Amino acid sequence: MQPPRGMHDLLPEVFKVHKFITETALVIGQHYGFQPMSTPLVESMDVFCRSLGDVSDIVSKEMYELIQKGSERLVIRPEGTAGIARSVISNGLTQSLPLKFISYGPMFRYERPQKGRTRQFHQISVELFGFPGSLGDLEVITMAYDFLRALGLEKRVTLELNTLGDKESRDAYRTALVDYFTGYKDKLSEDSLIRLEKNPLRILDSKDEGDRAIITGAPLLKDHLNETSRKLFDEVKEGLDTLGIPYKLNPHLVRGLDYYCHVAFEFTTDELGAQSAVLAGGRYDGLMALLGGPEIPGVGWACGLERLALMIDAPEESNGNIALIIGDEDSRLKGLQIAHSLRNGGFTIEPILGSNLGKQLKKADKSGAQYALIMGSEEMARGEVTVKNLKEGSQQSVAFEQITPYFQKESS
RNA sequence: GCGGGUGUAGCUCAGUUGGUUAGAGCGCCAGUUUGUGGUACUGGAGGUCGUGGGUUCGAUCCCCAUCACUCGCCCCA
């Protein structure tokens, strides 16, 4: 038996890393006033077709569609932002701007798995609606930076920054690009010829050697930015400079999805093979309108937990745990009683199985517990329980009713 | 969707130019030690050799298919 392709069990060791990353994001998010929320895993296919665009790879070939009874076409979400935007409209939240959400959960894309890329993957995403201008961009990018720094990754990632401009600027640029690349139609790679039809900006990102030479002479977006777009981007750069957040301009950084505009950014790494982006985002002012809502500006990002998890280890847990060793049948109930009161006192205690004391102590030690609480016939007779400090090797007797106060004192 | 590599014990990996009972280290279980762990020694369990088919007297090994993983392309977090 194997799990479906590209889907993985999150066993405790990895789960712990995911939990650490998620909790870190929630704490940092709280500092910025982002509220946790979530949306269904399943949405109407329309939500993604309208927002991501029919020609995007995600919509055209990567969505899992549900076989179901009604006529509505339902899909399992391939990304998070569209669903959250839909939720904003569904719940009439457009009346209470700005909205600042942080959410996390699994996403599904039918792709070929490789390192850092699975069919079910997990993202944390941050969305900010109703913040026009560079203030919103800066809030979101700064938060991403603080988050990565809290994970200890700020030296191992690079913030790459670009602007796509507003619609007017981008349309003008797209026209210029198409004109330019059409002149090299016989020299472009096969992939880039398709891009020329579907998404000419993508050619700038091509890894093909031949394409690269042609790209060097391609027109630049910065020469097509209108005044508004240029000003916005300058403000973002100035803000990052002031806040001391390092970045690298990458004029070839583009976005595959229709709803993006203005600032686009990616935190990239060279530690994950072909997958370089661990956290990416940008501005999506057009998104709400695409879904039939009012024109509300938005900006946000998403990060991949699997990718981040490949880069970090879970922090060492301070373990004050207690192992309960029950010596015989007659002392079992007393042992459980003591364990129960300790748990109610906020301590972690769990029974250890084993045929004799030696084995049980060995297991207790292996479990990482700091203390072993031995409850056997001798203890029953004395009315005291034996508490052994597994790290130090010392042990002492503690009266049954004194056990919770004893551990309270130990842990203080 | 396209191209390359890999698949032997829970883990990391040997191995068989096609031959009868497939090995090691680590881990696990047990004993030395029937109320005191971490060390040491001794023993033990655990394998459809990814799966299915083919060639062969005989396949873990050769061939085909398939599944999964992996590296890259595409795309993306």
Side-chain angles (χ1 to χ4, degrees), chain A residues 189-199:
Chain A
S189 68
E190 211 172 303
D191 284 331
S192 285
L193 283 175
I194 296 168
R195 294 186 185 109
L196 189 56
E197 297 294 323
K198 287 170 64 175
N199 194 340

Side-chain angles (χ1 to χ4, degrees), chain A residues 81-156:
Chain A
T81 302
I84 291 169
R86 187 234 81 223
S87 173
V88 168
I89 297 170
S90 306
N91 293 287
L93 303 178
T94 52
Q95 300 296 310
S96 45
L97 300 176
L99 296 164
K100 300 156 85 167
F101 293 137
I102 179 167
S103 65
Y104 59 91
M107 308 293 163
F108 299 80
R109 287 181 202 169
Y110 190 85
E111 298 184 276
R112 184 97 177 230
Q114 51 183 95
K115 185 176 186 180
R117 195 174 75 186
T118 53
R119 287 182 168 182
Q120 175 178 342
F121 60 103
H122 299 78
Q123 285 188 332
I124 297 168
S125 70
V126 154
E127 328 285 345
L128 204 174
F129 294 100
F131 255 73
S134 57
L135 181 57
D137 302 348
L138 285 166
E139 281 287 278
V140 147
I141 296 174
T142 309
M143 182 195 155
Y145 180 76
D146 285 352
F147 165 56
L148 293 170
R149 190 173 53 185
L151 296 178
L153 292 176
E154 80 275 17
K155 294 281 193 293
R156 292 159 64 191

Side-chain angles (χ1 to χ4, degrees), chain A residues 206-264:
Chain A
S206 176
K207 290 174 187 168
D208 184 272
E209 289 280 330
D211 287 351
R212 287 231 176 245
I214 302 169
I215 292 163
T216 314
L220 294 172
L221 175 62
K222 66 174 187 173
D223 298 326
H224 294 79
L225 287 180
N226 57 25
E227 194 49 38
T228 320
S229 299
R230 186 191 311 276
K231 185 162 172 286
L232 259 176
F233 194 47
D234 286 344
E235 283 174 16
V236 171
K237 288 185 288 188
E238 191 190 346
L240 291 175
D241 289 337
T242 304
L243 291 163
I245 296 174
Y247 60 90
K248 206 178 87 188
L249 292 177
N250 176 0
H252 294 161
L253 176 65
V254 292
R255 280 280 110 93
L257 308 181
D258 280 2
Y259 54 63
Y260 283 108
C261 61
H262 294 297
V263 67

Side-chain angles (χ1 to χ4, degrees), chain A residues 10 44 98 103 135 155 163 185 196 253 272 304 353 371:
Chain A
L10 285 180
S44 159
S103 65
L135 181 57
K155 294 281 193 293
T163 180
K185 232 174 171 170
L196 189 56
L253 176 65
L272 297 178
L353 303 175
Y371 303 95

Side-chain angles (χ1 to χ4, degrees), chain A residues 336-400:
Chain A
L336 287 178
Q337 200 179 30
I338 290 172
H340 190 226
S341 66
L342 278 170
R343 285 166 176 159
N344 287 337
F347 295 97
T348 297
I349 174 167
E350 51 183 331
I352 298 291
L353 303 175
S355 51
N356 61 51
L357 182 61
K359 299 286 177 209
Q360 287 170 302
L361 278 170
K362 191 172 175 177
K363 279 192 182 173
D365 186 52
K366 197 164 277 184
S367 78
Q370 183 167 0
Y371 303 95
L373 199 153
I374 304 169
M375 188 60 228
S377 54
E378 292 178 13
E379 286 76 10
M380 280 299 277
R382 286 204 308 269
E384 295 177 333
V385 70
T386 302
V387 177
K388 186 177 179 76
N389 186 321
L390 292 166
K391 308 295 174 199
E392 295 167 8
S394 59
Q395 69 180 46
Q396 59 185 295
S397 279
V398 178
F400 289 164

